[in-house]
Amino acid sequence: MPEESVPDIDVFLSGLLFFDLVFTGLEHPPAPGTEVWTGGMGSGPGGIANFAVALSRLGLRTSLAAAFGTDVYGRYCWDVLSRQENIDLSRSRRFPEWHSPVTVSLAYAGDRAMVTHGHPPPVPVAELAGCPPRSRATVAHIGLDTAEWVHTAHQAGSLVFADVGWDPSETWSATLLDQLACCHAFLPNDVEAMRYTRTDTPEAALARLADHVPVAVITRGAAGVLAVDGTTGETADIPALPVNVLDATGAGDVFGAGFVAATLTGWPLADRLRFAGLTASLSVQHFGGALAAPGWHEIAEWHARTRLPDYAFLDDVLPAETIAETSRRGPVTLGFGDDSWR
């Protein structure tokens, strides 16, 4: 690609942003009429911000279109994303008198349960995205009627990486799969994949998804990840790295960001999955979603410490000397030790 045609943005995202409040160290969820004390707590931007921060910390030029409130939660999230994480928010908007969505995440038993309060943004997310800027990749949340901006990004040559959320109606309409026609890759978890494809195993779901999208990836938590790349003929079944999970909030988004970064690097499918799994495994050992995402410094430290043969491909992207840290973990509690967001 000629230099003048290279997009100014590596990855463009648009979606709902939340303020996350995370409690960790729970042995079990609280029962009605009781109070449970927990050993850890963190807070930070969540939702689409998990993906955006993880991408930026991997050195990708990241642009986000999202709605922000002007309340304390929205101001904090805007400051963290723009000033600390160097994410372009030129297509995002702040809305007075709109309450920022807030999610409380309870981490226990190696997973998490969430409670969210929120109202629809004053302007639809699709309107914020508008005609998306040229980018090497696009991250989108697909639905039964995927927004026009996603199709526009695809037609402009951007690789569209799609995920999907839990269907609260639990109808799991199979027509959603028709929306994958504009996507390069689809990254659901095993439950979502089996429900939408009406199959009984992740392997059967993967085969069905491969009929709809060039690259299908199914995450299975501690069981690892399955994938097929129809553009190269590669298939892979990669085990998860064994780690002690402190907080799984946002781990799927961090995995997706790692997979996007590895795809743009041009690695084989197995290495793309290993890298994505590594970024997710490093994130779940810290509080929160977005602010738990690792940067290259942390990846380099892990690689130097473990030297696992399957991750030798990292030698090609990590210099022998210690990498200067390009991102820092933010305070784990809103405003703690830093009033710059006020």
Side-chain angles (χ1 to χ4, degrees):
M1 180 181 295
E3 183 176 352
E4 64 271 16
S5 67
V6 175
D8 293 332
I9 296 170
D10 290 316
V11 188
F12 177 69
L13 312 89
S14 186
L16 290 175
L17 183 137
F18 301 79
F19 173 78
D20 282 353
L21 184 61
V22 180
F23 294 96
T24 66
L26 291 167
E27 295 183 1
H28 54 78
T34 68
E35 180 180 10
V36 176
W37 282 72
T38 182
M41 172 184 147
S43 58
I48 192 64
N50 296 331
F51 226 122
V53 169
L55 288 165
S56 183
R57 290 188 172 187
L58 292 174
L60 295 174
R61 300 164 299 173
T62 304
S63 180
L64 171 65
F68 291 75
T70 57
D71 51 21
V72 63
Y73 311 113
R75 298 199 310 273
Y76 166 76
C77 289
W78 183 284
D79 185 78
V80 167
L81 296 180
S82 62
R83 294 178 56 188
Q84 176 179 298
E85 303 299 337
N86 300 312
I87 294 168
D88 170 43
L89 299 181
S90 60
R91 288 175 177 260
S92 293
R93 286 179 58 185
R94 304 193 218 201
F95 295 95
E97 301 182 3
W98 178 61
H99 193 298
S100 299
V102 175
T103 293
V104 175
S105 179
L106 305 177
Y108 61 92
D111 207 334
R112 80 284 184 267
M114 296 184 288
V115 179
T116 296
H117 166 77
H119 305 281
V123 171
V125 169
E127 184 175 328
L128 294 176
C131 181
R134 292 176 60 246
S135 61
R136 299 171 65 200
T138 296
V139 173
H141 184 87
I142 64 168
L144 294 177
D145 185 16
T146 298
E148 185 61 30
W149 72 268
V150 180
H151 296 275
T152 302
H154 165 68
Q155 292 166 1
S158 183
L159 296 178
V160 177
F161 294 78
D163 69 357
V164 66
W166 181 264
D167 181 0
S169 71
E170 298 195 35
T171 57
W172 308 99
S173 174
T175 59
L176 177 138
L177 301 181
D178 296 335
Q179 301 299 313
L180 297 176
C182 68
C183 300
H184 171 73
F186 183 43
L187 297 88
N189 64 37
D190 51 356
V191 174
E192 296 160 348
M194 289 187 288
R195 297 285 177 86
Y196 280 114
T197 59
R198 307 295 195 269
T199 54
D200 297 325
T201 66
E203 292 79 8
L206 185 69
R208 189 72 57 82
L209 291 177
D211 293 333
H212 294 271
V213 67
V215 180
V217 178
I218 297 178
T219 58
R220 300 176 294 166
V225 58
L226 296 171
V228 58
D229 186 338
T231 67
T232 63
E234 297 170 282
T235 60
D237 182 350
I238 304 299
L241 288 167
V243 296
N244 293 320
V245 177
L246 174 65
D247 176 18
T249 304
D253 295 329
V254 176
F255 176 95
F259 190 77
V260 171
T263 299
L264 295 179
T265 302
W267 286 328
L269 178 62
D271 291 346
R272 283 178 265 161
L273 297 174
R274 290 190 180 98
F275 182 77
L278 169 59
T279 59
S281 71
L282 292 174
S283 75
V284 299
Q285 298 176 65
H286 297 274
F287 292 102
L291 301 185
W296 283 109
H297 178 78
E298 189 171 357
I299 293 169
E301 286 186 335
W302 176 88
H303 185 51
R305 183 174 66 252
T306 61
R307 303 305 301 181
L308 297 180
D310 284 344
Y311 293 81
F313 64 91
L314 290 174
D315 292 333
D316 296 330
V317 294
L318 298 173
E321 65 273 11
T322 302
I323 291 181
E325 188 165 10
T326 56
S327 64
R328 63 181 177 89
R329 295 193 182 278
V332 296
T333 303
L334 174 62
F336 182 79
D338 181 6
D339 292 333
S340 62
W341 56 271
R342 291 183 182 273

